[in-house]
Amino acid sequence: MSLYLGIETSCDDTSCAVYSPEKGIVAYRTASQLDHAKYGGVVPEIASRTHMKTLLPLFETVMEDAGLELSGLAGIGVTNGPGLTGSLLVGLSFAKALSFGSGLPLAGIHHIEGHILANAIDGPMETPAVVLVVSGGHTQLFEVERPGRYNLLGGTHDDAAGEAFDKIGKILGLPYPGGPSIEKAAREGDAAAFDFPRAMRTSGECDFSFSGLKTAVRLKVEELEGDSRGLPGGTVADVAASAQEAIVDILAIKSVMAVERTGAARFYIAGGVAANGRLRDVMSERVGAAGAKVSWPPIRYCTDNAAMIACAACHHISAGRTDGLELNTFPRGELISWA
Ligand code: KG4
Ligand code: ZN
């Protein structure tokens, strides 16, 4: 049995996992950094310093959980971008040291490929497929020919969908991160209460824009508040439900377009926003009606995690694609096909 270690430290989650193609995830732990909530967003220096403290003990615990020594592994995968440079450097330096000390092959993994291949953890992905990657930093539609071959169909011109959730959450005074808070608030609200814009609806392309929605919500909240401070709970719920509906609606419109354009019979959702129940329901219904079977990873593999990185490492290393110790981090950059 071949076992692969995955390390993920691109933002504010420290995560290690061991994956094998035969057994799936053998051991997996994530330490989420809670200190950022009081600042209303991720503070890069706190994130990298916390990774420094957390990564070594977390790695040791995961290896203990798996009952493994380094010599029992077949390779190491680590996210080397995109992400926060300080955070990425902690994971990459650690992975390089492990690889140097043990002689194990090393593979740098693009964070977005990790999110896509979260759909391959519990069994092979059915391809060709369309994958919608929706996270705090990314909103992109890919045609996946097979793991390792990706065609970008379109992406966002400004904010990512998760970023829109987070910024709207902040406007509404809801706890950070905004995504789960808005989903919770929206359950008590009327999604038809306010008609927020669906930008790029008629662009004819698989592209997105969410910055106008955030502004429309801010203006609506200012109008509803008038001279008072804050909104009544019922109105917060209505704004949350209407904003969530606008985000989900435009994601569905463009996803249906991508499926019709490619003729793909399979559609996967990936990234932190895939945790949203309303998104999953609407996608199942509308993309399903367009002829593609829709699925998403278990929630624990939707938000940032090393299980997806370990699974991606297995794909790279078993195909012979590895990196040397000169491997560096990159803060931004498109996903490039390698297979
Ligand atoms: O993939 P992820 O953990 O990190 C990035 O790579 O960005 O995604 C985090 C994003 C945040 O913007 C968060 O608000 C959003 O995923 N998110 C959600 C939900 N859970 C997390 N958005 C909407 N509904 C949710 N239930
Ligand atoms: Zn992510």
Side-chain angles (χ1 to χ4, degrees):
M1 186 167 64
S2 306
L3 294 154
Y4 295 86
L5 172 69
I7 298 170
E8 158 66 44
T9 63
S10 66
C11 191
D12 61 338
D13 293 306
T14 317
S15 187
C16 287
V18 175
Y19 166 87
S20 88
E22 295 84 8
K23 283 197 161 175
I25 296 301
V26 175
Y28 163 57
R29 283 182 191 248
T30 296
S32 295
Q33 304 178 5
L34 305 172
D35 292 350
H36 303 283
K38 60 174 176 279
Y39 300 103
V42 176
V43 182
E45 180 162 345
I46 295 178
S48 43
R49 286 177 186 278
T50 312
H51 287 309
M52 281 301 272
K53 266 200 301 214
T54 315
L55 182 54
L56 176 61
L58 190 85
F59 159 74
E60 287 176 332
T61 311
V62 163
M63 294 297 278
E64 214 173 288
D65 291 347
L68 268 180
E69 301 287 331
L70 267 182
S71 57
L73 291 170
I76 300 166
V78 60
T79 308
N80 66 320
L84 301 171
T85 299
S87 289
L88 290 164
L89 282 169
V90 177
L92 178 60
S93 303
F94 186 79
K96 278 189 186 183
L98 287 181
S99 170
F100 182 66
S102 63
L104 287 169
L106 174 72
I109 305 296
H110 193 292
H111 183 75
I112 295 304
E113 182 175 33
H115 276 304
I116 292 172
L117 295 182
N119 288 290
I121 291 174
D122 292 330
M125 278 178 85
E126 292 167 41
T127 52
V130 170
V131 181
L132 171 69
V133 179
V134 263
S135 71
H138 300 268
T139 299
Q140 291 178 316
L141 277 161
F142 290 94
E143 182 185 27
V144 177
E145 289 175 36
R146 59 178 187 275
R149 284 218 70 80
Y150 311 104
N151 306 319
L152 180 65
L153 300 169
T156 180
H157 290 272
D158 40 58
D159 294 351
E163 197 178 351
F165 271 109
D166 293 341
K167 288 178 175 170
I168 291 167
K170 212 169 190 172
I171 293 169
L172 290 174
L174 296 171
Y176 174 85
S181 300
I182 287 181
E183 181 173 18
K184 190 164 162 229
R187 283 191 204 115
E188 313 297 324
D190 174 7
F194 305 103
D195 187 17
F196 290 127
R198 275 76 162 153
M200 325 284 302
R201 186 189 185 116
T202 54
S203 73
E205 302 295 331
C206 296
D207 50 0
F208 305 91
S209 165
F210 292 102
S211 68
L213 171 63
K214 168 195 67 193
T215 308
V217 170
R218 186 174 49 76
L219 293 174
K220 178 55 73 181
V221 167
E222 283 170 8
E223 177 197 319
L224 292 166
E225 275 180 347
D227 292 333
S228 59
R229 280 175 66 96
L231 294 174
T235 313
V236 168
D238 284 347
V239 174
S242 303
Q244 174 176 265
E245 203 60 20
I247 295 172
V248 166
D249 188 29
I250 196 70
L251 290 172
I253 289 169
K254 301 293 175 142
S255 297
V256 165
M257 185 186 285
V259 162
E260 286 172 348
R261 203 160 279 181
T262 58
R266 218 43 190 88
F267 183 89
Y268 295 93
I269 318 176
V273 183
N276 187 282
R278 180 68 188 149
L279 175 70
R280 299 201 305 256
D281 288 350
V282 170
M283 288 293 172
S284 299
E285 196 184 309
R286 286 165 54 183
V287 177
K293 187 177 155 205
V294 179
S295 64
W296 49 83
I299 301 295
R300 63 188 177 285
Y301 304 145
C302 285
T303 46
D304 288 349
N305 68 86
M308 66 189 195
I309 303 303
C311 179
C314 170
H315 282 83
H316 282 244
I317 295 170
S318 61
R321 203 217 64 79
T322 59
D323 292 294
L325 292 176
E326 72 287 351
L327 181 66
N328 213 334
T329 60
F330 59 95
R332 278 173 295 279
E334 294 304 325
L335 173 56
I336 294 166
S337 293
W338 54 269

